[in-house]
Amino acid sequence: MKKLATILFSLLLLVNFCPAQKASHAFTLADSTFLLDGKPFQIISGEMHCTRVPRAYWRDRMKIAKAMGLNTIATYIFWNAEEPEEGKYDFSGNNDVAEFVRIAKEEGLWVIMRPSPYACAEWEFGGYPWWLLKDKTLKVRSKDPKFLKYYRDYMMQLGKQLSPQLVTNGGNILMVQIENEYGSYGDDKEYLDINRKIFNEAGFNGLLFTCDGPSQMPRGYLPGYLPAVNGLDNPKEVKTLINKYHDGKGPYYIAEWYPGWFDSWGSPHQGSNADEDAKKLDEVLSAGISINLYMFHGGTTRGFMNGANMSKREPYAPQTSSYDYDAPLDEAGNPTPKFYKFRAVIEKHLPAGEKLPPVPEKHRTIAVPEIDLTDHATLFWNLGKPVMAEHPLCFEDLNQGYGFVLYRTTLKNAVSGLLKIKEMRDYAVVFLDGKRISILDRRLRQDSVQISSASPNAVLDILVENNGRINYGPYLTDNRQGITESVTINNVELTGWKMYKFPFTNLDAITKYVTSNKKIAARLMSQPGFNSMVYPANIPAFYHGSFFLNITGDTYLDMRGFGKGFVFLNGHNLGKYWEIGPQQTLYIPSSWLVNGFNEIVVFDELRTEHITISTLDHPILNDVVKD
């Protein structure tokens, strides 16, 4: 009996501690299909980014993904979210990528990982950290040793988070993508191979792949590795293309299929035809091709993290905070008619005997008719300590990534003429002696304003906003913000600048700013001779209020009647608003509201004298107001 007990104890140790007993799987490539544990496996995936969806809702969204029939979630990881400051990593909260993958596993979903270093994704600087731009000589997305050093350091940290979750290590990450649509940018195979080596060194030693558009694939694929295609859904063309660059064989994977599109400020809300999309999806699945829906659920680009597009032919175009994308799951995580059409198609292709789980009910919504904005703080009343320099400094030279910088100088002599800001990035409000005289918008290629009869010692203020660094294309490397060159009047450069930094990184700092401004305002208004010139119209300002809730639910802040700015609610930066649309609301998830008192702060750089704000029980995403 003693001998038998010893044998049983030894077997128990083997079951619990032997690595061979971990729930590992084999995921490999066959000539025409993927193989999971030796059996054909068709990937039916949907894209969803952990940083764009409140952490409290990750599991909810994944349950709904299962209900539509998805077996996989694909996700980008944004370097600038995970390493917001050089050498300071943040894998907590919405950046907890390892937990995102674990929840997917618990919900029975596989994961395709797209871990940067470049993501695009309509995300600020394509995912690169802004602080890389502090070195003017460093070139991202290249073999520059300085760039590769930062890139490698980051990937080593990310590998610690994610490599244990590769499918071969008992996790649920099936594949890992190298770079992203590199063929749209360059054709350096040596650079791509450096990426591969760094990924392997970081522990991503499973199945690697690249993805590119059809015309970009010759430049962007890495010989010997699976090339996936983006934006192509003709089954015959998909197979022909991948065969051409993968030794005449598959598997066949559409890494980005677009059942929707993103929005840019000032342009109509984008979308696609659900019936046509469903037909295409059916054709792809019938052909045995694996697919990833970009996006299944877009969510919201919070804070100042929206990107922008620009090309030689097209002007600068910043993207909206809403990343609704006309996806099957809307911005608030509710199924759309497109969702149900896709579910019906996928259901036809389920293995015999499998059934889809029921679709969860829509989330509760509420509306708050009127919230009083009781406190006001004008930006110019409390500027703080400036950085002083003979010539204007860009954001990066000021060690600031996002937000606003106020540039101030004094015009010594009376002057009239053309004020020109050379290479202004991206949006500027110009004031002369506290009065707004112009708005300059990079979208509209505006960089100049005519000044008439400025008096001696007039104060010139230029409030410049980072409206989103370029995330795609040839201008990716030219992404410094603010006044990046010079300011002239009649071709004579202005010098002697004071620069006031407003990164607006968190609510605590803004609340202190509002409080101190209230004291300043009270002191000013008590002085004899106080007049409206101290509180002129159209001066950028904060508006602060609170409201009480007995019940919470998803809601949408109604920004119609406001100009341009951003909103903090209970410590969360909800994102940007802009009167030009198409987005006129800001989505507030119920998990960010509390039963009781809630605090809201609105910053508006264009309009003044706001006294109330309200919420709606529905979004407004297609209301364009022409400039």
Side-chain angles (χ1 to χ4, degrees), residues 102-317:
R102 279 191 289 269
I103 292 174
K105 185 178 183 182
E106 291 169 2
E107 294 302 322
L109 289 162
W110 302 101
V111 171
I112 291 174
M113 185 57 59
R114 313 172 77 190
S116 285
Y118 166 72
C120 183
E122 291 70 60
W123 191 267
E124 226 271 350
F125 200 9
Y128 287 127
W130 72 269
W131 46 262
L132 291 173
L133 296 166
K134 290 199 287 185
D135 183 346
K136 294 181 182 180
T137 67
L138 183 150
K139 186 176 181 182
V140 300
R141 216 173 185 188
S142 77
K143 292 181 291 191
D144 181 344
K146 291 179 289 187
F147 166 68
L148 293 177
K149 189 267 181 191
Y150 289 125
Y151 167 20
R152 181 188 175 280
D153 289 348
Y154 161 66
M155 290 302 296
M156 296 307 113
Q157 295 295 323
L158 191 62
K160 292 176 185 177
Q161 299 288 320
L162 295 175
S163 62
Q165 300 190 69
L166 293 173
V167 67
T168 48
N169 295 331
N172 55 323
I173 299 176
L174 294 177
M175 298 194 295
V176 178
Q177 181 182 300
I178 308 171
E179 244 276 353
N180 184 59
E181 297 181 324
Y182 179 65
S184 69
Y185 180 82
D187 60 358
D188 188 338
K189 302 299 183 188
E190 183 182 0
Y191 166 72
L192 278 178
D193 198 52
I194 290 172
N195 281 256
R196 178 192 63 80
K197 291 175 181 176
I198 292 174
F199 273 46
N200 283 332
E201 188 180 354
F204 295 111
N205 52 11
L207 206 160
L208 303 177
F209 72 100
T210 60
C211 75
D212 290 281
S215 63
Q216 303 161 356
M217 190 175 286
R219 291 158 50 89
Y221 86 106
L222 184 63
Y225 291 83
L226 178 69
V229 65
N230 292 353
L232 186 66
D233 54 17
N234 180 297
K236 183 178 179 181
E237 293 176 3
V238 169
K239 291 183 177 182
T240 299
L241 184 69
I242 292 177
N243 283 340
K244 183 175 180 180
Y245 296 102
H246 197 230
D247 299 328
K249 57 186 179 183
Y252 308 105
Y253 179 46
I254 302 171
E256 293 186 10
W257 177 62
Y258 307 115
W261 201 245
F262 61 87
D263 286 342
S264 298
W265 289 112
S267 299
H269 179 54
Q270 300 297 299
S272 65
N273 184 288
D275 290 319
E276 293 178 2
D277 288 342
K279 181 181 177 183
K280 280 293 183 182
L281 179 61
D282 193 21
E283 291 173 358
V284 168
L285 296 181
S286 297
I289 295 172
S290 290
I291 193 169
N292 176 48
L293 283 65
Y294 191 102
M295 302 289 296
F296 161 68
H297 174 44
T300 313
T301 307
R302 299 295 184 182
F304 303 135
M305 300 313 290
N306 68 281
N309 279 348
M310 194 170 87
S311 68
K312 292 179 180 178
R313 290 178 294 179
E314 298 295 329
Y316 171 80

Side-chain angles (χ1 to χ4, degrees), residues 363-382:
H363 304 98
R364 180 173 60 198
T365 60
I366 62 171
V368 184
E370 191 168 281
I371 300 166
D372 290 330
L373 299 173
T374 53
D375 299 327
H376 162 270
T378 301
L379 188 70
F380 288 176
W381 281 352
N382 186 18

Side-chain angles (χ1 to χ4, degrees), residues 87-98:
K88 295 182 180 180
Y89 300 95
D90 180 9
F91 295 109
S92 65
N94 256 54
N95 297 328
D96 191 348
V97 294

